[in-house]
Amino acid sequence: IVTQNQRGVLGKVAAAIGESGANIENVSAEERESAEYGTWNITLQVHDRSHLAGVMKAVRQIPQVVRVNRNVGQEKLEK
């Protein structure tokens, strides 16, 4: 998730994820060349792809969110 680097944005993202019924398992930040933006790698626990799509839609509604991507290569499947 790429966001504008502003106070409280990570909290808004976390709240949108929680309100969508997903669980945050891990959060890490990446350094960017520009201090204007921040990149967050967030590992989520969701029910299925449809649930994930809803979570991503909710996060995209936040005005400070610039981009939301799914990293497919790091999926963990548990039953």
Side-chain angles (χ1 to χ4, degrees), residues 14-78:
I17 291 168
E19 289 168 4
S20 297
N23 184 43
I24 297 173
E25 293 184 341
N26 187 42
V27 177
S28 64
E30 288 183 18
E31 286 189 38
R32 294 184 61 90
E33 291 180 22
S34 169
E36 266 185 84
Y37 299 97
T39 299
W40 305 96
N41 296 307
I42 303 177
T43 304
L44 301 177
Q45 183 180 41
V46 295
H47 303 294
D48 52 28
R49 288 182 184 173
S50 176
H51 185 204
L52 177 60
V55 173
M56 292 173 70
K57 182 177 180 180
V59 171
R60 285 186 181 111
Q61 304 276 328
I62 300 167
Q64 296 87 357
V65 171
V66 176
R67 184 172 54 234
V68 177
N69 292 327
R70 177 180 176 206
N71 290 334
V72 180
Q74 300 174 354
E75 289 184 37
K76 181 171 64 171
L77 300 176
E78 295 182 5

